Amino acid sequence: DGGITQSPKYLFRKEGQNVTLSCEQNLNHDAMYWYRQDPGQGLRLIYYSQIVNDFQKGDIAEGYSVSREKKESFPLTVTSAQKNPTAFYLCASRVLGQGAGAEAFFGQGTRLTVV
Amino acid sequence: GQQVMQIPQYQHVQEGEDFTTYCNSSTTLSNIQWYKQRPGGHPVFLIQLVKSGEVKKQKRLTFQFGEAKKNSSLHITATQTTDVGTYFCAGGTYKYIFGTGTRLKVLA
């Protein structure tokens, strides 16, 4: 089955801890994205990657880090520098380009709560 | 940077009434996609518009791309309770940005 898998579904973090959210896709998509969604709000772009070993900051990158060592994987680390990390995190992938098939496919999301 | 705004932010309608959400980008878009997110779920792709002035229909849903390719709209005719959710527009070739979303509630 092709798709995107995010894990874990729920994650609890103590203040001052770093946590890493997993995102794996087997769709052979070049581009991968991380978004943050707060309750009742839209999707804000954290980081994105167009190719292995390269990534760019989105609109709210402070307090987060990513890596793209493999095409299939794009893990997100929420560092202790992120002061308000409680949110719903969504990973997405898509084919690069402007034609048909440019839609984004999403994982099921990870709900992160600071305790 | 590029911003994509949607209005209204919220909309409550009686079942059977029509609903429209508007999407406005600060920059010209090469194409635009629309998504629906059910409560507690993840966004699911609905449709893509590419051409200036393009209109596409999916059953009760009508999507339109503006002539200047900076705005778009989604219209739902005769809403049903299954239409409940948040509707997002999105665009961008590499940096893929989502609109602020419109949350639709349908009252039976």
Side-chain angles (χ1 to χ4, degrees):
Chain A
D1 244 1
I4 299 184
T5 302
Q6 285 187 245
S7 61
K9 189 173 182 179
Y10 299 96
L11 184 58
F12 297 90
R13 187 194 96 169
K14 292 183 179 179
E15 287 194 19
Q17 277 185 339
N18 292 356
V19 290
T20 298
L21 283 57
S22 171
C23 179
E24 303 276 335
Q25 55 100 0
N26 59 7
L27 300 167
N28 199 34
H29 287 169
D30 289 307
M32 296 188 73
Y33 303 81
W34 275 105
Y35 297 92
R36 169 179 172 145
Q37 187 174 36
D38 292 286
Q41 302 299 312
L43 281 68
R44 292 186 290 168
L45 182 63
I46 306 173
Y47 269 98
Y48 61 106
S49 169
Q50 302 162 33
I51 195 170
V52 173
N53 292 323
D54 188 39
F55 47 83
Q56 288 76 39
K57 293 182 179 180
D59 298 320
I60 56 165
E62 186 175 352
Y64 300 97
S65 66
V66 293
S67 63
R68 187 86 186 274
E69 297 177 1
K70 298 186 300 181
K71 187 175 184 178
E72 301 79 18
S73 179
F74 193 40
L76 173 74
T77 297
V78 184
T79 74
S80 57
Q82 171 50 239
K83 297 307 177 188
N84 185 23
T86 295
F88 186 44
Y89 291 87
L90 286 159
C91 179
S93 72
R94 61 197 281 255
V95 172
L96 282 179
Q98 303 175 5
E103 73 261 29
F105 293 79
F106 282 85
Q108 298 295 315
T110 294
R111 292 193 184 277
L112 173 63
T113 303
V114 174
V115 296
Chain B
Q2 179 189 16
Q3 292 186 343
V4 183
M5 304 297 293
Q6 283 181 251
I7 55 170
Q9 187 175 2
Y10 302 97
Q11 185 83 61
H12 294 184
V13 299
Q14 288 290 138
E15 189 174 21
E17 291 182 341
D18 292 356
F19 159 78
T20 304
T21 173
Y22 299 92
C23 173
N24 295 288
S25 172
S26 59
T27 59
T28 300
L29 299 170
S30 57
N31 54 48
I32 194 164
Q33 291 83 34
W34 283 91
Y35 295 80
K36 177 183 179 181
Q37 183 179 26
R38 294 182 184 275
H42 60 277
V44 175
F45 174 76
L46 293 175
I47 207 162
Q48 175 173 267
L49 304 170
V50 178
K51 299 176 183 176
S52 171
E54 187 172 14
V55 177
K56 285 188 176 181
K57 293 189 176 184
Q58 284 182 349
K59 297 184 180 178
R60 295 177 295 104
L61 278 61
T62 302
F63 304 83
Q64 186 166 4
F65 202 7
E67 294 291 339
K69 301 184 79 173
K70 294 182 72 174
N71 57 73
S72 181
S73 65
L74 159 59
H75 179 82
I76 301 178
T77 303
T79 55
Q80 300 175 357
T81 55
T82 53
D83 295 325
V84 165
T86 302
Y87 293 85
F88 294 99
C89 58
T93 302
Y94 301 113
K95 185 179 182 183
Y96 196 56
I97 299 295
F98 279 75
T100 48
T102 296
R103 187 187 298 180
L104 173 64
K105 287 193 175 181
V106 180
L107 308 173

